[in-house]
Amino acid sequence: MDQFYVWWKAQSFYLLTEREEDFFMKLNDYIPFIVSFLKNNILSVILKRNLREKDFVELKKIYEEIELQKSHAAILLIPSYERLNVDIAHKHTWLLEQLKQKDSIKVRYSLLAIYEYLHFITRKEISLPYSLFSNGIVDTINYGTGENLKNALDVAADCLKLMPFVFDKNEINNLCKLTFNYYNLIQENKILFSNLDDFETLSRFTKLIFYLYSENKAVESLNPYWDKWRNYIKNHKLPEIRKYQF
């Protein structure tokens, strides 16, 4: 930990300072990569009992510095900080509120943080109900558009793939209904697939449908729609869609 603190103090000014774009080369924002390294390789594996008082002070300071200059990236740290009980201003309640924002970057990072919360709950490292976070994913699919919708569909599918138990029966039914409503919009020509965004959204929906079916194929009342989706995906012209055949 001490080596990271020394490195951070030496590099943080450069990493956190906003700079004008170079005429010849786009300047990269490295903070998300640094944050991912910190949470994946240190904060998500270290035990709270191994932290010193100095660590709590330094980690809080690092969060506050990142949050001040790169608030979107700081969101990714919140689950690990709550896991370790590091005293910062933002907890899961604040994070869930970010799903209602119009800022698609903050919504994306919030969804990624929710996914990590669910992992910590599964590992019994955070004592919170799954529904606190799974509801937020379903609501974002229900009310979201554009990038927010696509990112929520991705996270829901990833949860179904690795942690299908995080969604309760009602949430599964709601997810199924949302995919069926989307199918009806396609059949009614209300989605014309006139741009890349439409096709990307369809790909995310078919990914979600694949994992929904894998976990819930015994739900008899949904069988007619499974057949409709199965035929649609099987006969689609794009391989990005056909790869989710079931």
Side-chain angles (χ1 to χ4, degrees):
M1 295 288 286
D2 288 336
Q3 290 180 333
F4 180 81
Y5 301 148
V6 171
W7 180 87
W8 175 257
K9 287 176 182 178
Q11 301 295 327
S12 59
F13 179 80
Y14 171 79
L15 292 168
L16 295 172
T17 301
E18 291 290 344
R19 300 176 301 282
E20 293 185 4
E21 294 291 332
D22 188 281
F23 182 78
F24 298 102
M25 182 174 66
K26 183 177 181 180
L27 297 174
N28 292 320
D29 181 3
Y30 290 105
I31 282 293
F33 299 101
I34 303 303
V35 166
S36 294
F37 172 83
L38 177 59
K39 73 179 186 66
N40 293 336
N41 297 282
I42 300 176
L43 300 181
S44 65
V45 294
I46 195 170
L47 299 177
K48 181 185 175 183
R49 65 174 178 267
N50 292 334
L51 292 180
R52 305 158 297 177
E53 192 62 36
K54 173 185 177 180
D55 294 320
F56 287 102
V57 174
E58 292 290 342
L59 288 172
K60 179 178 181 179
K61 184 178 179 182
I62 289 172
Y63 176 84
E64 290 173 345
E65 290 175 347
I66 296 174
E67 205 280 328
L68 181 64
Q69 298 294 335
K70 306 281 186 177
S71 59
H72 60 288
I75 290 172
L76 294 175
L77 292 172
I78 295 175
S80 294
Y81 273 58
E82 188 159 355
R83 168 186 174 267
L84 295 170
N85 290 331
V86 179
D87 182 24
I88 57 173
H90 299 140
K91 299 277 193 293
H92 63 273
T93 49
W94 176 87
L95 185 147
L96 289 165
E97 286 297 315
Q98 303 314 297
L99 294 178
K100 303 174 185 177
Q101 303 298 319
K102 293 182 179 179
D103 186 334
S104 61
I105 297 177
K106 280 195 172 182
V107 172
R108 175 174 175 266
Y109 279 77
S110 297
L111 287 164
L112 292 173
I114 283 174
Y115 185 71
E116 189 151 13
Y117 264 109
L118 293 169
H119 270 291
F120 285 143
I121 295 170
T122 299
R123 287 157 46 181
K124 302 188 184 306
E125 296 181 33
I126 290 181
S127 297
L128 291 169
Y130 288 124
S131 59
L132 199 61
F133 303 96
S134 55
N135 281 338
I137 297 172
V138 176
D139 284 346
T140 306
I141 294 174
N142 193 14
Y143 300 109
T145 57
E147 292 299 314
N148 293 349
L149 173 59
K150 288 188 287 186
N151 287 323
L153 289 166
D154 262 340
V155 170
D158 290 341
C159 286
L160 285 165
K161 179 181 179 180
L162 298 175
M163 302 177 287
F165 44 81
V166 305
F167 295 109
D168 63 26
K169 184 177 180 179
N170 287 334
E171 289 167 340
I172 290 294
N173 284 334
N174 286 336
L175 287 172
C176 290
K177 288 177 182 177
L178 289 170
T179 67
F180 301 153
N181 290 342
Y182 182 74
Y183 177 86
N184 287 334
L185 291 174
I186 295 172
Q187 297 306 307
E188 294 167 4
N189 292 320
K190 293 182 179 179
I191 300 176
L192 300 177
F193 298 104
S194 57
N195 54 58
L196 180 61
D197 185 68
D198 289 339
F199 284 106
E200 289 178 342
T201 302
L202 174 61
S203 178
R204 264 53 165 220
F205 262 106
T206 53
K207 177 182 176 182
L208 176 63
I209 290 156
F210 178 85
Y211 290 112
L212 271 173
Y213 180 79
S214 298
E215 293 300 324
N216 301 279
K217 54 190 173 188
V219 182
E220 293 183 4
S221 61
L222 305 178
N223 283 347
Y225 266 109
W226 292 136
D227 290 338
K228 291 178 181 179
W229 265 122
R230 183 184 293 108
N231 291 331
Y232 180 85
I233 294 170
K234 179 181 179 181
N235 296 307
H236 202 277
K237 60 183 179 180
L238 293 180
E240 294 87 350
I241 306 302
R242 295 198 305 273
K243 71 178 180 181
Y244 293 114
Q245 291 183 56
F246 57 89

